[in-house]
Amino acid sequence: MTSSSILDHAARLRDGLPEGFRDEVVESLYSDAARITETSVTERHDGTKLTLDRLLDRALTHRVWGFVAMGLLFFGVFWFTISGAAGPSSLLSNVLVDYGHSRLHALVAPLPTPDWVTGLLLDGVYLSTAWVVAVMLPPMAIFFPLFTLLEDFGYLPRVAFNLDRLFAKAGAHGKQSLSMMMGYGCNAAGVTATRIIDSRRERLIAIITNNFSVCNGRWPTLILMGTIFIGALAPPALAGVIAAASVVTVAFLGVLVTLLVSWTLSKTVLRGHSSTYSLELPPYRPPKVWRTLYTSLIDRTLKVLRRAVVMAAPAGAVVWLISNVTIADASIAAHLVGALDPLGWVLGLNGIILLAYLVAIPANEIIIPTILMLTMTLGTNLFDAQQGVMLELGTAQTHTVLTQAGGWTLLTAVNLMLFSLLHNPCSTTILTIWNETKSPKWTTVATLLPIGLGFAVTGLTATVARLAGWA
């Protein structure tokens, strides 16, 4: 028999095994090991430590309370990341965007530099990179250390244990839950984290679906829409809670979409058996804080930030160019918005939003500043916006611009939140997917699948809302 026929015969035999056979084999091995240990090894038990570990595991790996604890814990991590990053992001924005941008203009003003060079480099390239640093650095500097502390404490293997059955039913690997969680900090880091999955089939599923984890570049869009549109529907005392709940709901939808798409892939183009693996739960141990901070800030945060900045610089140049280069008495941006408006209407969005997402593929962090700039320069300029110069406004001013100059409604905000969840990965993540797969096919699938879902979901939402008279 040839090697291929032997493998085919083994695969047929494997298909005939009863469900749960592999788990029973692993369980029997551990049972035999425990029996042999009990009869041949004498140990000194530290009752207090064992009791504490067991008490924690009874709660954190419980079929019901384990998910409750996991939800509360990660909600706390996300809340602390978002709220804790607000101050530093505002400070960096003031230093890099407000002060730095104006200071650079003052330094360049005496020089015989053409206006288009100054605009391209300072209003385009510099502003976009400044926005990315201000928006990305603080959340990543908080999220990644918190995530690593949970890993050092020994909790993340419990997360994989809790979610293993859900991902197994979806035809995916239980460790996909860990790469999914890492994606909430940065999808590029989440894609890299799929290296912990040995099976190529299951690793591809994890890579393709990681974009459904809302990375920190998308949180500002979700928070802004939740605050000025969703939260505004509730009484003032509950506005903050309702806004936060809307953002968490989108993140929860991302988990459901991850499981659904994983199941679909495992039943179609990535068919195969779920891997059986033994997950040994390590003992709880105090995290090494200083090592964690170094590892998180140097190996994760700064590396991801560097790649994002490299990608954001050309995006800023493109934003400035399409806003300032005119064809037939109208800017390229105006022509593109006009061409995209019909599709935007079908999706419950508009041409400006679609153009902002198109030019912001290198960096999601510049989407809202780009939308505000285009809305005012192509419509009613309420706050003296300049062509190609991205800007930040307060919450009340943003609401005024979007509703009065942009004609936004609740449908626009809801569909923007859905589209923020379901759209193509940023260029940093696409590059990482290519580096991890070396496959044009799977890189294309991972890029186009999310935006295809985004078009379908937002189009369906817009149609239902209009038929029901809600928009």
Side-chain angles (χ1 to χ4, degrees):
M1 296 179 66
T2 63
S3 58
S4 60
S5 61
I6 293 175
L7 292 175
D8 292 339
H9 184 62
R12 288 193 295 271
L13 292 175
R14 191 162 52 245
D15 291 338
L17 294 175
E19 185 176 356
F21 176 80
R22 298 171 183 79
D23 293 338
E24 292 175 3
V25 170
V26 174
E27 185 178 354
S28 67
L29 292 175
Y30 275 85
S31 297
D32 289 343
R35 178 178 52 79
I36 294 172
T37 301
E38 289 176 357
T39 57
S40 58
V41 178
T42 301
E43 296 181 351
R44 293 184 178 181
H45 294 284
D46 186 344
T48 304
K49 182 177 180 180
L50 287 176
T51 301
L52 179 60
D53 281 5
R54 288 174 180 172
L55 284 175
L56 286 173
D57 275 339
R58 284 178 183 176
L60 298 179
T61 61
H62 191 271
R63 288 180 178 268
V64 176
W65 298 113
F67 284 93
V68 174
M70 183 174 61
L72 291 175
L73 184 59
F74 281 107
F75 178 83
V77 169
F78 296 146
W79 175 84
F80 188 75
T81 299
I82 294 169
S83 60
S89 287
S90 178
L91 177 62
L92 283 175
S93 177
N94 290 335
V95 172
L96 298 177
V97 178
D98 297 335
Y99 176 79
H101 183 240
S102 60
R103 185 61 181 164
L104 286 174
H105 265 287
L107 291 174
V108 173
L111 303 177
T113 308
D115 291 341
W116 70 269
V117 173
T118 303
L120 180 65
L121 295 180
L122 298 187
D123 300 336
V125 174
Y126 173 79
L127 265 186
S128 65
T129 55
W131 272 113
V132 168
V133 173
V135 174
M136 280 191 72
L137 180 57
M140 287 197 303
I142 295 174
F143 178 83
F144 284 147
L146 290 177
F147 196 86
T148 309
L149 287 173
L150 291 176
E151 184 180 12
D152 286 350
F153 178 62
Y155 178 65
L156 292 190
R158 273 79 182 174
V159 173
F161 177 83
N162 290 336
L163 295 178
D164 178 63
R165 290 191 179 185
L166 289 178
F167 279 96
K169 289 181 179 179
H173 200 288
K175 291 181 180 179
Q176 183 177 331
S177 60
L178 302 181
S179 62
M180 180 185 71
M181 292 296 177
M182 182 65 75
Y184 284 104
C186 175
N187 293 131
V191 169
T192 303
T194 61
R195 294 175 183 175
I196 63 175
I197 301 174
D198 295 326
S199 165
R200 174 172 171 76
R201 182 190 73 86
E202 291 166 325
R203 189 177 177 219
L204 282 173
I205 292 176
I207 288 173
I208 293 170
T209 58
N210 193 266
N211 191 61
F212 302 125
S213 297
V214 182
C215 67
N216 63 59
R218 289 181 272 177
W219 287 113
T221 301
L222 295 176
I223 294 170
L224 183 64
M225 294 300 103
T227 300
I228 66 179
F229 284 97
I230 309 298
L233 300 175
L238 298 176
V241 176
I242 298 301
S246 68
V247 175
V248 173
T249 298
V250 174
F252 179 70
L253 284 175
V255 177
L256 294 181
V257 173
T258 297
L259 292 171
L260 179 61
V261 174
S262 296
W263 180 84
T264 303
L265 290 171
S266 69
K267 299 299 181 183
T268 54
V269 294
L270 288 172
R271 285 190 295 269
H273 295 279
S274 298
S275 299
T276 298
Y277 71 103
S278 301
L279 178 63
E280 297 189 21
L281 299 182
Y284 296 100
R285 55 188 181 274
K288 298 180 180 179
V289 178
W290 293 113
R291 189 190 69 178
T292 296
L293 289 175
Y294 175 83
T295 302
S296 302
L297 293 177
I298 303 299
D299 290 347
R300 292 178 177 174
T301 302
L302 294 183
K303 286 184 178 180
V304 172
L305 182 65
R306 177 180 58 81
R307 283 183 291 179
V309 166
V310 170
M311 294 294 183
V318 170
V319 170
W320 189 88
L321 286 171
I322 65 173
S323 300
N324 286 275
V325 176
T326 60
I327 300 175
D329 297 328
S331 67
I332 295 176
H335 289 294
L336 291 173
V337 168
L340 292 171
D341 261 332
L343 176 60
W345 183 88
V346 171
L347 303 179
L349 302 170
N350 59 41
I352 288 177
I353 295 173
L354 295 182
L355 178 58
Y357 270 94
L358 187 62
V359 299
I361 288 176
N364 287 318
E365 291 78 8
I366 66 173
I367 285 173
I368 291 298
T370 302
I371 288 176
L372 292 175
M373 181 271 293
L374 291 174
T375 299
M376 287 191 286
T377 56
L378 298 180
T380 305
N381 201 338
L382 300 177
F383 297 101
D384 297 325
Q386 301 177 39
Q387 295 283 353
V389 181
M390 292 175 285
L391 74 162
E392 180 183 24
L393 299 175
T395 300
Q397 293 174 316
T398 299
H399 183 268
T400 300
V401 169
L402 296 180
T403 55
Q404 294 185 16
W408 286 33
T409 64
L410 180 61
L411 173 63
T412 314
V414 170
N415 272 12
L416 179 56
M417 295 178 79
L418 292 173
F419 195 70
S420 183
L421 171 66
L422 304 171
H423 75 280
N424 55 279
C426 69
S427 55
T428 303
T429 303
I430 295 173
L431 178 62
T432 305
I433 292 171
W434 165 254
N435 288 333
E436 294 297 320
T437 64
K438 299 299 182 184
S439 168
K441 172 186 174 181
W442 295 117
T443 303
T444 302
V445 170
T447 301
L448 298 183
L449 177 62
I451 197 169
L453 284 175
F455 283 170
V457 170
T458 54
L460 179 62
T461 304
T463 301
V464 170
R466 287 169 183 143
L467 291 176
W470 299 334

